Amino acid sequence: NGTITKRAIRLCVDDIGTEENSYKFFGSQVNLIEELIYGRYDIWTSRGVVLHIATNLTPQKMKEMYGDRAYSRLVEMMNDIVLSGNDRRR
């Protein structure tokens, strides 16, 4: 019938901000989380990809680590859910 059905493809990344800042990829320094954000944004806009992240970073720290461009895409793709109070990992 010629229609394309959007399917939600989910990816969950825990504790962003704890990874190494950059990795070498064919001789270039690459920030993997930043590249993940760009890639997910591209397919989020066309196919409805869902990205879940967990972090202890503040919005300002995320901007510093991943840059304004990547942060802007995260803000567009995400809903913030702030968990406050006691540590839930116990």
Side-chain angles (χ1 to χ4, degrees):
N1 64 8
T3 60
I4 297 174
T5 303
K6 284 190 174 185
R7 255 181 41 176
I9 302 167
R10 288 171 172 72
L11 174 66
C12 300
V13 183
D14 190 26
D15 276 343
I16 71 165
T18 60
E19 72 280 353
E20 295 289 324
N21 270 352
S22 62
Y23 298 89
K24 286 199 182 253
F25 183 73
F26 291 106
S28 299
Q29 294 285 69
V30 176
N31 183 309
L32 294 179
I33 296 296
E34 189 176 344
E35 293 300 320
L36 174 82
I37 292 166
Y38 296 146
R40 282 282 141 166
Y41 180 79
D42 289 343
I43 56 178
W44 173 77
T45 55
S46 64
R47 294 189 4 212
V49 169
V50 177
L51 173 63
H52 301 278
I53 66 167
T55 186
N56 289 332
L57 298 177
T58 64
Q60 184 58 41
K61 188 64 178 171
M62 288 175 66
K63 281 183 188 181
E64 291 170 14
M65 286 191 76
Y66 305 115
D68 289 335
R69 183 173 174 240
Y71 180 75
S72 172
R73 282 158 175 72
L74 275 177
V75 169
E76 187 176 344
M77 288 189 293
M78 303 260 181
N79 296 321
D80 290 345
I81 300 172
V82 178
L83 302 176
S84 58
N86 296 332
D87 187 346
R88 291 171 172 81
R89 291 185 176 101
R90 295 180 196 163

